[in-house]
Amino acid sequence: MSENYVSSICGIGKLKSLQELHMFDLRDVSGYRIGELENMNELCKLGINRLENIKDAEEASSAKLCAKGRLTDLTLCWSNTDLRSTDLDENILDNLHPPKYLRNLSIKRCMGARSAIWMNNVNPIFNLEKIYLTDCLECETLPPFGQLPFLKSMTLSNMPKVKWIESKFNGNDKYHAFPLLEVLRIKKLEALEDLFEAGVAAEDGCLLPCFIELELFDCPKLKELPSHAQ
């Protein structure tokens, strides 16, 4: 059975033992709303598209993503970057709180200016290994991803208002930003001035200690890179 066919099933929430739902297209009709996901607690991989069809934060929370203890791979997508309520996108993302065992997270076309509340505290996303953010045109500041102890790969694409990657540094000399990060891909971050906020990169050897691969494209304001990333 094709992935597209599964996603088109009306009342898919009845398939409570389903383990993979690659892309569930939300619609503003019964049987296709995000509340269908409420009792699908066996999901290991989940993609949700057309999040603009969620009316409010309460409806978003009805998916109960945080209760899906087996979920390791999550993709959250809006279908376009049209002008819409920045606050609504932020509130929707706040209420799509994933479980703590999540490994891979992708967010596409969110028009919120800030990150989700659960992303600004390392504990709820402690186990993340891979992050992919793209077409988040209004995003201005990123969460403290550098504090994620298991993060190995990060891709940031088409986020024109982001000025630096890691902005929250705890000031501890023993702190290593991105302690396991191996791959960093940065594309079309036109406002990016530095990988780290002023003062963060002063601690030699504390940044990107496991760094292997850098892909950099269309970041005209970027001033410099850590010496081992050049």
Side-chain angles (χ1 to χ4, degrees):
M1 188 177 293
S2 72
E3 295 173 7
N4 290 337
Y5 182 80
V6 172
S7 293
S8 67
I9 294 175
C10 181
I12 198 171
K14 296 177 182 178
L15 303 179
K16 296 180 182 179
S17 297
L18 195 67
Q19 296 183 16
E20 293 190 3
L21 181 54
H22 292 266
M23 194 56 68
F24 179 39
D25 282 328
L26 301 180
R27 308 180 199 175
D28 190 18
V29 293
S30 179
Y32 294 98
R33 296 191 175 94
I34 197 167
E36 290 293 323
L37 302 173
E38 180 176 359
N39 296 311
M40 300 179 72
N41 292 329
E42 298 300 311
L43 286 169
C44 300
K45 182 173 184 177
L46 173 63
I48 311 173
N49 192 27
R50 302 185 183 277
L51 289 169
E52 68 273 11
N53 285 323
I54 297 177
K55 296 179 180 179
D56 52 35
E58 183 178 359
E59 184 181 1
S61 66
S62 69
K64 292 184 168 41
L65 296 189
C66 61
K68 304 184 192 319
R70 301 187 63 190
L71 189 65
T72 59
D73 193 314
L74 177 64
T75 298
L76 301 172
C77 305
W78 283 256
S79 67
N80 57 57
T81 55
D82 295 345
L83 290 176
R84 56 177 178 264
S85 170
T86 296
D87 290 342
L88 180 57
D89 276 19
E90 292 173 352
N91 291 334
I92 287 173
L93 198 56
D94 283 344
N95 285 276
L96 293 175
H97 191 312
K100 63 180 180 180
Y101 296 110
L102 195 70
R103 296 287 189 274
N104 302 318
L105 174 65
S106 298
I107 299 175
K108 304 176 182 180
R109 295 179 287 276
C110 179
M111 291 295 102
R114 61 167 177 81
S115 302
I117 294 172
W118 50 266
M119 296 174 72
N120 287 318
N121 182 346
V122 173
N123 291 331
I125 53 174
F126 186 83
N127 292 289
L128 275 182
E129 297 177 4
K130 185 176 181 179
I131 292 171
Y132 183 93
L133 304 180
T134 186
D135 298 325
C136 300
L137 304 183
E138 298 299 321
C139 179
E140 299 176 359
T141 59
L142 295 173
F145 289 143
Q147 296 179 27
L148 293 172
F150 304 114
L151 186 65
K152 294 181 180 179
S153 174
M154 181 165 68
T155 299
L156 306 172
S157 176
N158 198 20
M159 301 173 69
K161 295 187 178 183
V162 172
K163 293 185 177 181
W164 46 72
I165 306 301
E166 175 69 353
S167 61
K168 296 183 180 180
F169 181 57
N170 65 9
N172 186 336
D173 290 344
K174 296 181 180 180
Y175 171 71
H176 284 58
F178 299 101
L180 289 186
L181 191 71
E182 298 175 353
V183 178
L184 178 60
R185 297 185 177 95
I186 308 173
K187 304 175 184 179
K188 295 185 70 176
L189 269 66
E190 290 92 342
L192 186 69
E193 299 176 0
D194 206 335
L195 294 188
F196 303 94
E197 190 176 7
V200 173
E203 302 296 332
D204 188 31
C206 289
L207 306 176
L208 301 166
C210 296
F211 197 62
I212 296 175
E213 179 184 339
L214 172 66
E215 183 177 338
L216 191 65
F217 175 76
D218 199 5
C219 301
K221 293 186 178 181
L222 185 61
K223 299 173 183 176
E224 61 180 352
L225 298 171
S227 57
H228 55 298
Q230 296 180 14

